[in-house]
Amino acid sequence: MHMADALISPAVGGTMTAVSAGLAAYSIRKVQRDLDEHKIPLMGVMGAFVFAAQMINFTIPATGSSGHLGGGMLLAILLGPYAGFLTMASILLIQALFFGDGGLLAYGCNVFNLGFFTCFIAYPLIYKWITRKGLTAGRIFRASLVSAILGLQLGAFGVVLETWFSGKTELPFDTFVLLMQPIHLAIGIVEGLVTAAVATFVWKARPEILERAAAGKALGGLSINKVLAGILAAAIVIGGFVSWFASSNPDGLEWSLERTAGTAELEASGGVYDVLANVQSKTAFLPDYSFKSAEEGEAGRYAGTSVSGIAGGALTLVLAGLTGLMIIAYKKKKTKTARQ
């Protein structure tokens, strides 16, 4: 559900970038309460895992469409809403800059659609309400499934609203929304099942991770090395190998665009569109998760996909980790200043 720049106007893109930047600043302020040195590796590893998972498009039967994991709910469940939102922002920035996945003008829209609705709406209002009496495998399953579906539905509706406010006449509101919502309902069910499976795995291995995230508490001295190793190994396998088998069908957004406007890619040029497209063409060293001068044949395609999955996961791990480290450093500096 990564929006391209052509789907929005510069006014909407600029506004949503400012909104997402404000949410990031708010998250940085709030996350200082429960972020410690032990949670930073978890932010990085979860960022790498979600990056890899987003590369796997799964076929939606009988539609000709596909979907992929958004990951916002999973990040919120394991990291808390504020660290989860910041990690999602890191993932989408790496994707846009280095892989050309999602436009730079649309970056704020993508962060809002995939991060805000999951971390700040579905997580506190649905997931935490269902699990309010305590965490059990059954409650985690129900909460993950329902909240993931709702989060994706809201995100899909956000896309429709952003194109409508952008004045995209090729995408009539009624037609576009009647295609976007059902297809993302199907995608959301799969996302909910995957989210439930991963969250349950972590809960059984280290229930304190989910409990402290829900309570807004730091991990403290909790040992999570086995959990980190398991998630990191999964990220490497998914990004480096499983990504070969991603569906080639258009994703839910592209599928809806094609049936609404007759094309999966709208055209937009001139001004800010050309400037940002030029920037992205220079920074994206693995556009569309493949080599720029791709070798012909299956081997070249597989190699490009594997390198993209592993390199992208590593870059996301580093960026999410650095974000956490900078917040910790700022927190320590502020505390030191207050004591003087």
Side-chain angles (χ1 to χ4, degrees):
M1 200 167 64
H2 295 63
M3 297 179 73
D5 287 346
L7 293 178
I8 59 170
S9 66
V12 169
T15 299
M16 294 309 298
T17 296
V19 169
S20 293
L23 288 168
Y26 173 74
S27 297
I28 289 171
R29 183 169 65 87
K30 297 291 287 185
V31 81
Q32 293 177 40
R33 180 180 60 183
D34 64 344
L35 184 65
D36 59 10
E37 287 85 351
H38 298 277
K39 182 175 274 190
I40 292 173
L42 186 60
M43 285 179 64
V45 168
M46 284 306 304
F49 177 82
V50 171
F51 178 96
Q54 287 190 2
M55 292 180 66
I56 311 301
N57 279 50
F58 47 84
T59 299
I60 306 299
T63 64
S65 177
S66 69
H68 63 74
L69 193 72
M73 272 309 306
L74 184 58
L75 294 175
I77 291 169
L78 299 188
L79 301 173
Y82 309 114
F85 182 83
L86 294 172
T87 303
M88 177 59 73
S90 299
I91 294 165
L92 295 173
L93 184 61
I94 294 296
Q95 290 172 337
L97 279 177
F98 302 125
F99 302 92
D101 191 6
L104 294 178
L105 179 63
Y107 174 70
C109 293
N110 289 327
V111 171
F112 190 85
N113 297 336
L114 288 167
F116 171 77
F117 289 120
T118 50
C119 294
F120 297 128
I121 302 296
Y123 177 72
L125 299 182
I126 304 300
Y127 178 88
K128 290 189 73 173
W129 184 81
I130 293 175
T131 59
R132 68 192 183 281
K133 293 183 178 179
L135 295 174
T136 65
R139 288 175 186 151
I140 291 172
F141 178 84
R142 292 193 299 274
S144 298
L145 181 62
V146 175
S147 57
I149 291 172
L150 177 64
L152 199 58
Q153 284 290 288
L154 290 172
F157 190 63
V159 171
V160 176
L161 285 178
E162 287 151 6
T163 59
W164 183 65
F165 280 119
S166 295
K168 295 298 175 179
T169 56
E170 309 95 317
L171 301 171
F173 181 88
D174 292 348
T175 304
F176 196 30
V177 76
L178 287 174
L179 287 164
M180 282 287 286
Q181 302 308 137
I183 197 66
H184 284 92
L185 174 60
I187 296 169
I189 292 172
V190 177
E191 168 150 13
L193 293 173
V194 173
T195 300
V198 177
T200 302
F201 162 77
V202 175
W203 179 71
K204 289 181 177 179
R206 268 296 184 209
E208 299 91 344
I209 293 176
L210 274 66
E211 293 167 355
R212 295 185 187 183
K217 296 180 179 179
L219 290 178
L222 183 67
S223 176
I224 59 171
N225 290 340
K226 290 184 179 179
V227 172
L228 291 175
I231 296 173
L232 183 59
I236 293 171
V237 171
I238 292 170
F241 175 67
V242 179
S243 56
W244 293 358
F245 306 99
S247 172
S248 60
N249 289 341
D251 67 18
L253 175 55
E254 294 168 337
W255 180 88
S256 300
L257 287 171
E258 194 166 3
R259 279 154 182 75
T260 305
T263 177
E265 295 183 8
L266 300 187
E267 296 293 330
S269 60
V272 68
Y273 293 105
D274 289 346
V275 171
L276 293 177
N278 184 51
V279 170
Q280 202 166 24
S281 68
K282 292 179 179 178
T283 60
F285 63 92
L286 287 166
D288 296 321
Y289 304 100
S290 62
F291 296 123
K292 283 187 176 181
S293 54
E295 302 174 26
E296 293 186 7
E298 292 294 298
R301 181 175 68 83
Y302 289 151
T305 301
S306 293
V307 171
S308 297
I310 294 173
L315 287 168
T316 304
L317 188 154
V318 170
L319 180 57
L322 284 175
T323 300
L325 287 172
M326 287 188 291
I327 293 171
I328 289 290
Y330 174 75
K331 178 181 177 180
K332 287 180 177 179
K333 182 179 179 181
K334 188 171 68 171
T335 301
K336 183 179 180 181
T337 302
R339 289 175 177 172
Q340 291 177 345

